[in-house]
Amino acid sequence: MNVLHLLTEIEKHDPEVYGRLDSRRTAMRQFAGIGKKLAAAAVPVAFGSMFRKAYGQTTLTVLEVLNYALTLEYLEAEFYTTALAKSGLIPAGASVSAIQTISTHETQHVAFLRTAITAAGGMPVAKPTFDFSGGSGSGTGPFKDAFNSYQLFLAVAQTLEDTGVRAYKGQAPNLLGKGDVLTAALNIHSVEARHASHVRQMNRAAGFAPTVKPWITGDDPGLGTNNALVAANYAGEGTVSQATINITNIGGQMISSGAASESFDEPLSRDQVLVIIKPFIKA
Amino acid sequence: MKSSMTTKPGGTLEAGLPRPMHRRNFLRYAGVSVLGTGLLAAACTKDDPNPLTYGETVNLGSGDIGILNYAYALEQLEAAFYIQVIQTQYSGITAAETALLTDIRDHEVAHREFFKAALGISAIGGLTPDFSKINFSSRESVLATAKTFEDLGVSAYNGAGRYLTSADYLTIAGKIVSVEARHAAYIRNLISNGSFANSEVVDANGLDVVRTPTEVIILAQPFVRNTIDATNLPIA
């Protein structure tokens, strides 16, 4: 296998490949080093690992996927139970009723995943101690008023739901061919998407984000002044190319780039998600 | 496409590649995904598959291609429905509803066109919808049908995922199904605020509805003049 030739070919299709790999020179130096140090048979393995790093892909076992999902569900479940326990935070009526519905589902997901992990012969991970301020345990992070300000609460809720959708989506390939486990993960994934859609509608109805839609346009969080706080959660959502097919104006249809980005939600790798949620876990 | 590459019918190119290069992104950037192959193949043939004649039976095919055609069939129906919804808007429609239903129309058209391009010469033809039971001037009739289509779409993608053998296709299906779920939640709230994820669609484990292709086709068939034959799909 001619690795350097392959890299040149990739560059034609992805001009940013060297950006992803650090730099062209570093990449070439690394490849040259790999070629010298390793037997030919080991080159594809080293090559694959470089690309996993570059494109944020890691192969996880089923139990790793389930425990990762459980950690995210712990986070969501405790976020909502804490909010519902805070009197006066969520307006009575339809708002509190909707958050109650979502909270119930997240608690059900925790129980379901713990059962599934045990049934698969694994050990469910313990619930971390959370810091919903996003301060890594200091309690003074940027979201410290999430349980005092309804607007900030809904901003965090929307971001958590949209990120949950991306996180499950990113694990689907790791569950390829895994039958019931894949189906269950997909069934949770679409429930999270229903939640995300609803919280976005709540943000719009409350006037906090008057133009936000139930779906994600470009890589815009749709949270106005809170956008900067959650930009990483939406990075990459704006893509309009799917499996090398450009969706904008596809097939001669009038599909705007905004609609093209909305019509496909994008995954996040576990590594990307862990970086995003790290500030919410007490070290 | 690369003459050295071969694709199993309904299979993937991945089996012929060294294991570390199975990565979805690698395939995408190397331009050798099956989806890419389909697109190029399409470019070599006629621009448009022949529209199917009234009543003609449509065989979705087998393997991953069959599942993609199954999705393509559902997206054709959804797109045709929302095109009509926007052309003949129901009485009392609000500006916000028009804007968001137009978005949904565009999403479904994008999904339809994506599958058509990705499937290339393997794509089924254009289905002839039967919307004679829908009263497009009635908000109630339109939204009830929209809810049926969206919930059906979510359950169909959720049910079909396990039968895909390609990680590329599974990821694409995942990217689409969550958008359908966003639509479903919006439509449900238009009918009854707060019903975005009620017990009709989410069970006591917090899981969404899943349907087999057979179950989905039974529910979709009344909206299509052609007969959809799903018997060659990985499960019937």
Side-chain angles (χ1 to χ4, degrees):
Chain A
M1 188 176 75
N2 187 333
V3 172
L4 297 182
H5 175 68
L6 208 44
L7 204 59
T8 312
E9 284 296 305
I10 293 166
E11 189 182 11
K12 288 178 192 166
H13 296 275
D14 178 17
E16 294 165 4
V17 63
Y18 297 113
R20 299 174 198 274
L21 283 168
D22 187 2
S23 72
R24 188 176 198 280
R25 194 164 62 179
T26 312
M28 286 299 183
R29 195 166 57 230
Q30 285 173 347
F31 280 124
I34 287 168
K36 274 180 209 155
K37 280 183 229 153
L38 301 178
V43 171
V45 177
F47 194 61
S49 118
M50 282 189 69
F51 273 89
R52 274 197 293 279
K53 199 176 166 195
Y55 293 103
Q57 296 288 315
T58 313
T59 303
L60 304 179
T61 66
V62 168
L63 282 174
E64 284 172 331
V65 170
L66 294 178
N67 265 320
Y68 160 58
L70 176 59
T71 303
L72 299 178
E73 296 291 354
Y74 280 139
L75 176 71
E76 289 186 312
E78 188 167 311
F79 175 73
Y80 290 116
T81 50
T82 306
L84 285 165
K86 181 81 194 242
S87 72
L89 173 66
I90 305 165
S95 301
V96 79
S97 169
I99 297 300
Q100 185 65 61
T101 297
I102 294 173
S103 175
T104 300
H105 293 159
E106 308 302 6
T107 303
Q108 289 167 340
H109 293 164
V110 167
F112 179 82
L113 289 168
R114 288 182 58 91
T115 303
I117 290 164
T118 306
M123 177 72 79
V125 291
K127 183 173 71 64
T129 301
F130 294 115
D131 172 3
F132 292 109
S133 80
S136 301
S138 70
T140 58
F143 306 103
K144 64 181 185 302
D145 290 326
F147 298 123
N148 297 315
S149 153
Y150 182 51
Q151 178 167 358
L152 192 56
F153 163 74
L154 277 187
V156 176
Q158 180 184 310
T159 306
L160 280 180
E161 296 296 343
D162 281 334
T163 305
V165 173
R166 301 190 73 179
Y168 274 96
K169 202 187 313 294
Q171 293 311 308
N174 286 326
L175 300 178
L176 182 73
K178 302 295 185 193
D180 290 345
V181 177
L182 171 61
T183 300
L186 290 172
N187 287 340
I188 295 177
H189 169 248
S190 59
V191 170
E192 301 292 350
R194 288 176 187 269
H195 294 171
S197 173
H198 187 76
V199 176
R200 289 173 156 264
Q201 292 170 64
M202 291 175 79
N203 260 317
R204 180 170 175 142
F208 299 146
T211 59
V212 76
K213 297 174 178 181
W215 26 90
I216 304 169
T217 310
D219 57 7
D220 180 5
L223 292 168
T225 53
N226 288 315
N227 271 6
L229 294 173
V230 297
N233 300 58
Y234 292 87
E237 270 290 359
T239 184
V240 295
S241 175
Q242 302 296 339
T244 72
I245 297 170
N246 184 10
I247 305 301
T248 307
N249 296 331
I250 185 172
Q253 307 290 321
M254 300 246 304
I255 304 295
S256 68
S257 60
S261 75
E262 290 165 359
S263 55
F264 292 80
D265 280 341
E266 298 300 320
L268 284 175
S269 72
R270 184 176 70 158
D271 289 349
Q272 287 172 303
V273 171
L274 291 183
V275 168
I276 288 169
I277 67 167
K278 194 163 182 279
F280 293 94
I281 295 173
K282 189 175 176 181
Chain B
M1 204 56 206
K2 312 266 197 313
S3 58
S4 60
M5 298 289 182
T6 54
T7 310
K8 288 184 295 182
T12 75
L13 281 166
E14 297 183 9
L17 290 170
R19 183 159 186 78
M21 285 190 284
H22 285 192
R23 310 311 315 163
R24 174 176 62 88
N25 282 319
F26 177 80
L27 288 173
R28 182 196 301 163
Y29 286 96
V32 296
S33 75
V34 181
L35 292 166
T37 312
L39 179 62
L40 292 172
C44 305
T45 133
K46 284 180 288 186
D47 288 332
D48 211 61
N50 293 327
L52 293 159
T53 318
Y54 173 89
E56 191 177 329
T57 295
V58 183
N59 192 319
L60 298 174
S62 61
D64 283 6
I65 296 295
I67 296 288
L68 296 192
N69 266 323
Y70 168 57
Y72 179 39
L74 294 176
E75 297 293 353
Q76 285 193 41
L77 277 185
E78 289 192 297
F81 169 71
Y82 286 107
I83 287 168
Q84 188 65 43
V85 167
I86 297 305
Q87 272 175 0
T88 55
Q89 295 174 13
Y90 55 76
S91 52
I93 195 168
T94 68
E97 287 168 10
T98 302
L100 292 180
L101 290 170
T102 302
D103 275 4
I104 297 179
R105 176 199 67 186
D106 290 353
H107 302 165
E108 306 299 5
V109 169
H111 294 164
R112 180 194 72 193
E113 292 299 315
F114 169 81
F115 282 115
K116 184 176 166 184
L119 281 157
I121 56 170
S122 300
I124 58 170
L127 299 176
T128 307
D130 179 355
F131 294 150
S132 57
K133 302 282 198 301
I134 304 164
N135 178 0
F136 283 93
S137 65
S138 156
R139 185 180 192 268
E140 189 182 0
S141 176
V142 166
L143 294 182
T145 309
K147 173 179 148 183
T148 298
F149 277 142
E150 297 296 350
D151 284 340
L152 189 63
V154 172
S155 68
Y157 279 101
N158 282 349
R162 66 191 295 153
Y163 302 109
L164 288 168
T165 64
S166 154
D168 286 4
Y169 296 156
L170 179 59
T171 297
I172 289 288
K175 290 179 177 207
I176 293 175
V177 66
S178 57
V179 175
E180 303 292 355
R182 290 174 187 274
H183 295 167
Y186 170 65
I187 297 290
R188 288 178 146 270
N189 281 343
L190 284 183
I191 295 170
S192 172
N193 187 32
S195 67
F196 60 100
N198 70 10
S199 57
E200 289 174 356
V201 284
V202 182
D203 71 14
N205 285 318
L207 305 183
D208 215 319
V209 171
V210 54
R211 288 190 180 91
T212 65
T214 307
E215 292 168 329
V216 170
I217 298 300
I218 288 169
L219 293 168
Q221 190 63 64
F223 297 101
V224 198
R225 294 193 187 279
N226 319 87
T227 302
I228 299 175
D229 178 356
T231 53
N232 292 333
L233 290 187
I235 57 113

